[in-house]
Amino acid sequence: MEISKNFAATEIEGKWYDHWMSKGYFHSEPDEREPFTILIPPPNVTGILHMGHMLNNTIQDILIRKARLDGKNACWVPGTDHASIATEAKVVKWLRAEKGIKKSDLTRQEFMDYAHIWKDKYGGIILNQLKKLGASCDWDRTAFTLDEVRSEHVQKAFIDLYEKGLLYRDYRMINWDPVAKTVLSNEEVIRKDVQAQLSYIEYRFADGSEGGITIATQRPETIMADVAIAVNPKDEKYKDLVGKMVLIPLIDKAIPIIADNHVDLEFGTGALKITPAHAPEDYAIGKTHGLEVINILNEDATINEAGQILVGEDRFVARKKINKMLAESGHLQKLEDYTTNIGRSERTDAVVEPRLSLQWYVNMKELGKKALDAVMMDEVQFYPANFKNTYRHWLENIQDWCISRQLWWGHRIPVWYLGDDVFVANSIEEAIIKAKEKTGNQSLTIDDLKQDDDALDTWFSSWLWPISVFDGFSGSKEFDYYYPTNVLVTGWDIIFLWVARMIMSGYEWYDQKPFEKVYFTGMVRDQQRRKMSKSLGNSPDALKLIEKFGADGVRFGMLSSSPAGGDLLFDEKLCEQGRNFTNKLWNALKLLKGFEIDKSLPQPEVNVLAIQWFENKKNHILTEMARDFEQFRLSESLVRLYSFIWGDFCSWYLEMIKPAYQQPIDVATYEATVEIFSELMTILHPFMPFLTEEIWHLLKERKDGEDCVVSTWPTIGTFDKTLDKQIELTKEVIGKVRDIRNKNGLKKREPLTLLAQKSEETTNLLSAKGIQNLLIKLGDLEKIELVDQDIEGTSVSFGAGTGKYFVPLNLTIDVEAETKRLEEELKRAKGFVMGIEKKLSNERFVSNAPEAVVAMERKKLADGLARIKNIEESLEALG
């Protein structure tokens, strides 16, 4: 079978992905096997693949491919989120740019029809991009949060919560996005400290007497909505002013000075302007004192008619103009720099405006009780566990969830109104029946009812994701089989928006957790630890990376630098390292397939030893990887496997079994090596699926359906520490012999003699079966002897393990250089011993560490002291 010179990533990736799809390997149906289920955090339907998606979905794919190899019924459900705010904004822009249509020109249904056209044309691109990455999702199960099944679940959840008294409508101060023109939940607002200015404004007495009262505000543009000035009753300087009237500057409207304990004595002047329509704190004070609420801002945050002045101006433009007008009228006393905390919309980045509005809310305190206990008692396990504290703090201070949005793209709220009467129903026909029953008016028609114009928060469909993707509310068998799911892989930034709410929904409707474990990935950052973003220009094009380095190279680059739960400091060089690893394995394949096989040859003793050692080492690696997977230490697992394959397999094992130049290899060794290589491809497959599938098939002929993707993860055998230690010591000796050869300019094949000073360690090593032949083969040695004492004269000595070795050379030894080398080696050895002694002198370590760990440290100390003794003897011999 001819093997190409280089690994052609693009061609091979397409070939194998199409093959996997044609075989239906990614599809899952309930059967007798143990299910292993992952639900994709649905990306926005507007989205394209970015670095965060690549990290998150690579991790999910690793877990699902590993489960498939473990023989489990692996089911990874893909899908997209309808993303109300983001999608509606895209559609509005598209209509304006391509069709010359404004949203206001359309009926709701006409807009929704256009939105679906846009979604079908541009939406879901990201799912096809995920295929390029190798995502092995069950594409037959692709869900959309606004499709029919998900919509039915949303409606049922809304009605059920309403009937339980957990969902209500109320006037409250909300977060308003003046760009998207919709309400936002607290979790959709990103708060940051910014530099601002305080305007010190004098409000003069209304009775014409001299003086007045000065307030400090960062929002002078809202003074027209003021209804009072509040002072703290404990503030001596203002106690005589309570009850007096002052005039609002520029509009000369009289308002009272009132006393309220909530006024901060330390802020500004200690006097606070009360603007109930435009500040939550002011609204609370106004409610206490029965004050009027005057809204002077339009939905787009421009000044409305109630403002009287600067009508139509944007709030921030008005702020500058008002300050100028106040200065000209003599009311502005000063401007003062000030650090404040500003909220911005997560979607549009607009500064959020407090606004009094009638909205729908979910009672979260009721829903949160079981969800809190589930995580704190580890019924739902968090990785890393420190996120439990973040979760607990939020749930213990949870606010009710505002779920209505002033948008058309989304699930329309299933509520109809008849005057002040509210009817929550599955359809207008059902609402009419309820209306007739309540009013007794049998002549009512659907034209008499008006449905709520608002859509539900996108997250109201997302929190039902684990239930709705398996049609849970319909009592499906699939739901009983796949739920609860095994693991959720997501970013910590949506722990409140999504994770907590899914846990709540699971316990609310099924009294059961939605998933066993949650693994929180870190953020993808650049080398300066900045979050990747388009504005900074530090976010590489994901598809171009795949094109340049191959999907396997990119997957390797992402995972090799992503410690469990920690941020990923991305560097393109990591993808290059992944591509180099691909080339290394490809060259190893070509080396093996290039061997001539001689069926008549007996298997050399060295090859038997090499196979035994490698299989033994593999058992150790598999054990460590099993622990890694349990703790989601996938980066550590990949790096461990990379070192094993590159170092132990490519650099050592293949050298151990490689026949002499132009000589054939025995069939037993060749077949064993093919099986070893095949197993390595199975182990590596979850991380680098395309390369491993290609090599798997090139190693030997396979039957139809015998593919790496559905092969079997190797079972873990016993690990022989003695054998492993013997080979590691042998490798150390070979390395030192090669160093001597290189430093003294000796030809690679020039035979050398190795002398080992007799000790328990060297005697045991050289008497072990196959070790001497292995040393001779890889060290290019003529012979090996045990000696009783140091060798004087022209030999070069070195230490390995606790043993002492000599290589006689027909050269004059540079005593000065050899002394320097040994002194440096002695310094390192003493530093090592000092570190061990420090650890063993720590009573806390000795008392608390496992006995085996302490014993190992003491063994290291003894070996270190023996090494020091050997080096000192060599120095003494040099004189």
Side-chain angles (χ1 to χ4, degrees):
M1 190 181 296
E2 191 174 334
I3 299 172
S4 62
K5 182 180 178 182
N6 299 308
F7 179 70
T10 304
E11 176 188 333
I12 287 168
E13 287 163 10
K15 176 183 76 174
W16 286 118
Y17 202 90
D18 290 345
H19 175 75
W20 296 329
M21 290 288 286
S22 70
K23 290 291 184 180
Y25 288 146
F26 304 159
H27 183 60
S28 171
E29 291 289 341
D31 60 24
E32 73 285 350
R33 291 175 294 167
E34 176 189 348
F36 185 90
T37 315
I38 297 179
L39 308 182
I40 197 171
N44 287 355
V45 71
T46 61
I48 57 172
L49 195 65
H50 61 60
M51 301 303 287
H53 292 135
M54 291 227 291
L55 172 63
N56 188 287
N57 286 282
T58 297
I59 290 170
Q60 290 176 79
D61 195 47
I62 289 167
L63 296 174
I64 212 77
R65 286 180 183 271
K66 170 66 164 58
R68 204 175 280 124
L69 295 169
D70 285 336
K72 295 175 183 176
N73 191 349
C75 180
W76 183 14
V77 181
T80 50
D81 191 292
H82 65 279
S84 292
I85 296 175
T87 306
E88 183 151 321
K90 293 261 188 185
V91 173
V92 168
K93 186 177 179 181
W94 171 68
L95 284 171
R96 187 172 58 244
E98 293 195 17
K99 300 186 179 297
I101 300 173
K102 293 187 292 184
K103 180 184 174 185
S104 57
D105 296 334
L106 302 172
T107 65
R108 186 189 195 108
Q109 189 55 53
E110 286 171 340
F111 178 82
M112 290 295 285
D113 290 343
Y114 275 121
H116 278 287
I117 291 170
W118 182 92
K119 177 253 179 186
D120 292 341
K121 185 175 182 180
Y122 298 105
I125 291 172
I126 190 169
L127 296 184
N128 289 320
Q129 292 175 331
L130 285 175
K131 293 175 183 178
K132 296 281 188 185
L133 188 65
S136 58
C137 300
D138 185 347
W139 299 108
D140 295 334
R141 294 182 176 275
T142 302
F144 177 50
T145 55
L146 200 55
D147 64 22
E148 187 176 346
V149 173
R150 263 46 66 182
S151 296
E152 287 173 1
H153 280 70
V154 165
Q155 193 148 301
K156 286 179 181 178
F158 186 97
I159 294 169
D160 187 58
L161 291 174
Y162 181 79
E163 290 175 349
K164 290 174 180 175
L166 294 172
L167 196 150
Y168 62 94
R169 197 179 188 216
D170 193 16
Y171 272 104
R172 290 192 179 181
M173 187 65 71
I174 51 89
N175 304 300
W176 182 259
D177 182 335
V179 173
K181 296 182 183 175
T182 184
V183 65
L184 302 173
S185 68
N186 291 334
E187 291 73 32
E188 293 170 304
V189 177
I190 309 300
R191 306 204 69 88
K192 290 182 181 177
D193 286 342
V194 297
Q195 290 302 308
Q197 282 188 321
L198 284 177
S199 299
Y200 283 76
I201 305 168
E202 183 185 29
Y203 288 61
R204 292 167 188 165
F205 294 128
D207 60 9
S209 59
E210 191 175 338
I213 188 168
T214 300
I215 60 92
T217 179
Q218 67 185 51
R219 302 208 61 188
E221 72 277 10
T222 63
I223 62 172
M224 300 85 78
D226 292 350
V227 293
I229 301 294
V231 297
N232 195 303
K234 297 174 185 175
D235 197 330
E236 290 293 324
K237 65 179 179 289
Y238 294 132
K239 68 178 182 178
D240 294 334
L241 299 183
V242 175
K244 295 198 74 167
M245 303 293 286
V246 292
L247 296 174
I248 299 175
L250 305 180
I251 64 171
D252 288 339
K253 178 182 176 181
I255 57 174
I257 298 174
I258 62 173
D260 192 280
N261 288 313
H262 291 92
V263 177
D264 185 353
L265 290 161
E266 304 301 321
F267 177 78
T269 64
L272 180 71
K273 79 184 195 71
I274 304 301
T275 319
H278 301 296
E281 301 83 0
D282 294 10
Y283 177 70
I285 292 173
K287 203 169 183 180
T288 301
H289 294 270
L291 299 174
E292 184 183 8
V293 178
I294 303 170
N295 176 21
I296 65 160
L297 293 178
N298 294 311
E299 289 185 350
D300 63 355
T302 56
I303 307 294
N304 64 26
E305 295 292 337
Q308 302 179 47
I309 58 174
L310 300 175
V311 175
E313 294 280 13
D314 177 77
R315 55 186 163 160
F316 298 125
V317 174
R319 181 177 298 177
K320 292 179 180 179
K321 290 186 176 182
I322 288 259
N323 271 334
K324 186 178 180 183
M325 293 164 71
L326 289 169
E328 290 171 352
S329 66
H331 290 90
L332 182 65
Q333 295 188 346
K334 66 173 179 176
L335 293 173
E336 181 178 275
D337 289 338
Y338 174 66
T339 301
T340 188
N341 190 266
I342 292 292
R344 286 186 176 271
S345 168
E346 181 187 42
R347 292 297 177 199
T348 67
D349 200 41
V351 174
V352 169
E353 188 65 45
R355 187 179 179 88
L356 188 63
S357 183
L358 182 61
Q359 303 288 342
W360 285 95
Y361 293 88
V362 176
N363 183 335
M364 299 297 273
K365 286 184 174 63
E366 276 300 312
L367 293 176
K369 292 173 184 175
K370 286 186 178 179
L372 176 59
D373 291 341
V375 171
M376 300 318 294
M377 301 299 290
D378 286 329
E379 188 171 342
V380 176
Q381 296 176 52
F382 278 9
Y383 297 85
N386 61 291
F387 282 110
K388 288 168 65 174
N389 295 325
T390 308
Y391 180 87
R392 181 183 62 196
H393 177 75
W394 184 73
L395 277 178
E396 288 178 346
N397 297 278
I398 196 167
Q399 301 296 311
D400 284 354
W401 178 14
C402 179
I403 58 169
S404 43
R405 297 290 182 272
Q406 288 62 56
L407 300 164
W408 283 354
W409 176 253
H411 302 94
R412 192 170 183 180
I413 291 177
V415 173
W416 285 262
Y417 302 101
L418 179 64
D420 292 332
D421 291 326
V422 176
F423 304 100
V424 177
N426 282 297
S427 64
I428 190 167
E429 290 77 17
E430 186 181 315
I432 278 289
I433 294 170
K434 290 185 175 184
K436 287 178 178 179
E437 287 176 357
K438 184 169 184 179
T439 64
N441 183 355
Q442 298 303 309
S443 63
L444 289 174
T445 68
I446 59 175
D447 294 330
D448 296 315
L449 299 185
K450 184 181 186 305
Q451 188 174 356
D452 197 305
D453 282 328
D454 291 349
L456 286 164
D457 179 11
T458 296
W459 296 103
F460 196 83
S461 53
S462 300
W463 80 319
L464 301 172
W465 192 242
I467 299 170
S468 66
V469 293
F470 298 118
D471 203 6
F473 286 167
S474 297
S476 72
K477 291 181 180 178
E478 286 204 341
F479 181 78
D480 294 336
Y481 179 77
Y482 291 113
Y483 189 96
T485 63
N486 292 77
V487 59
L488 173 71
V489 180
T490 187
W492 55 261
D493 53 327
I494 53 174
I495 188 171
F496 311 132
L497 283 166
W498 194 42
V499 179
R501 290 170 180 167
M502 281 192 289
I503 296 173
M504 289 179 195
S505 71
Y507 283 100
E508 175 60 25
W509 282 288
Y510 293 98
D511 199 24
Q512 197 176 10
K513 59 192 173 187
F515 26 71
E516 303 281 346
K517 299 172 182 179
V518 182
Y519 172 55
F520 293 105
T521 64
M523 290 285 183
V524 183
R525 301 184 183 277
D526 64 16
Q527 290 296 296
Q528 299 175 47
R529 295 190 172 273
R530 299 177 302 176
K531 186 177 178 180
M532 288 192 165
S533 68
K534 286 182 182 177
S535 59
L536 288 174
N538 63 347
S539 183
D541 184 311
L543 292 179
K544 285 184 179 177
L545 281 177
I546 292 174
E547 189 179 317
K548 184 176 180 181
F549 298 107
D552 290 326
V554 174
R555 287 168 68 113
F556 179 95
M558 297 289 290
L559 256 294
S560 62
S561 59
S562 182
D567 287 346
L568 185 157
L569 301 183
F570 182 76
D571 189 332
E572 207 171 282
K573 290 177 182 176
L574 297 167
C575 298
E576 188 177 347
Q577 185 181 359
R579 184 177 61 188
N580 292 343
F581 186 36
T582 299
N583 292 335
K584 183 76 172 178
L585 279 164
W586 196 249
N587 289 333
L589 171 70
K590 289 194 292 182
L591 174 70
L592 178 61
K593 298 298 287 184
F595 291 158
E596 181 187 341
I597 304 168
D598 186 339
K599 293 182 179 180
S600 66
L601 281 178
Q603 189 174 29
E605 186 182 58
V606 167
N607 292 9
V608 173
L609 176 62
I611 292 165
Q612 288 175 344
W613 161 70
F614 194 81
E615 290 285 357
N616 184 61
K617 187 69 176 275
K618 181 196 72 183
N619 290 331
H620 175 65
I621 295 297
L622 287 171
T623 301
E624 293 297 308
M625 287 182 70
R627 293 197 192 107
D628 290 335
F629 269 85
E630 283 174 11
Q631 296 297 316
F632 298 96
R633 294 168 58 88
L634 303 184
S635 177
E636 292 82 348
S637 193
L638 175 57
V639 171
R640 192 187 310 281
L641 184 56
Y642 167 79
S643 298
F644 178 55
I645 293 174
W646 188 297
D648 291 310
F649 180 68
C650 295
S651 299
W652 284 102
Y653 174 81
L654 290 179
E655 289 297 312
M656 290 176 185
I657 60 100
K658 186 168 70 174
Y661 182 63
Q662 292 189 336
Q663 295 300 307
I665 191 170
D666 66 282
V667 67
T669 298
Y670 180 80
E671 289 179 351
T673 304
V674 167
E675 290 309 309
I676 284 172
F677 210 154
S678 296
E679 278 203 331
L680 287 177
M681 293 304 93
T682 296
I683 300 167
L684 184 61
H685 180 80
F687 300 97
M688 304 177 79
F690 297 108
L691 168 75
T692 52
E693 190 72 78
E694 180 73 3
I695 291 178
W696 164 274
H697 282 273
L698 290 174
L699 281 167
K700 68 176 186 178
E701 290 293 326
R702 308 279 181 180
K703 297 175 185 175
D704 182 46
E706 192 180 359
D707 294 307
C708 187
V709 66
V710 288
S711 57
T712 302
W713 188 264
T715 54
I716 304 173
T718 56
F719 176 59
D720 184 343
K721 290 183 179 178
T722 301
L723 173 60
D724 186 66
K725 187 175 179 181
Q726 284 175 345
I727 299 296
E728 290 305 313
L729 183 54
T730 302
K731 285 159 64 178
E732 186 181 356
V733 172
I734 291 166
K736 295 285 180 71
V737 170
R738 288 174 174 174
D739 283 345
I740 290 170
R741 191 183 292 277
N742 292 335
K743 286 175 181 176
N744 290 281
L746 302 175
K747 293 178 181 177
K748 187 179 179 183
R749 299 300 175 193
E750 184 175 335
L752 297 175
T753 297
L754 176 67
L755 306 176
Q757 190 175 73
K758 196 178 291 184
S759 68
E760 183 180 356
E761 183 182 88
T762 56
T763 301
N764 289 339
L765 178 68
L766 296 178
S767 62
K769 191 173 182 180
I771 292 293
Q772 286 206 37
N773 286 336
L774 181 58
L775 282 166
I776 288 169
K777 180 177 182 178
L778 296 191
D780 291 299
L781 301 175
E782 189 173 36
K783 63 178 180 177
I784 302 171
E785 292 181 10
L786 278 169
V787 295
D788 291 318
Q789 59 187 16
D790 283 4
I791 305 300
E792 304 290 338
T794 59
S795 66
V796 176
S797 66
F798 65 87
T802 60
K804 192 172 181 182
Y805 299 82
F806 307 90
V807 177
L809 298 175
N810 295 321
L811 300 168
T812 302
I813 299 297
D814 186 335
V815 176
E816 186 179 345
E818 182 66 3
T819 300
K820 185 179 179 182
R821 182 186 71 80
L822 288 170
E823 284 175 344
E824 288 175 356
E825 196 172 327
L826 180 62
K827 184 178 179 182
R828 286 194 296 272
K830 285 183 175 179
F832 174 79
V833 165
M834 192 180 299
I836 300 296
E837 286 177 335
K838 186 177 180 181
K839 187 180 284 188
L840 289 172
S841 66
N842 185 334
E843 291 182 15
R844 192 172 175 183
F845 168 75
V846 175
S847 302
N848 297 329
E851 191 175 328
V853 173
V854 176
M856 178 63 74
E857 293 301 316
R858 287 183 173 140
K859 175 72 168 55
K860 286 181 186 177
L861 178 62
D863 290 348
L865 291 171
R867 182 168 292 186
I868 288 172
K869 183 171 182 281
N870 286 338
I871 297 168
E872 287 175 340
E873 287 174 354
S874 294
L875 281 168
E876 189 176 340
L878 286 170

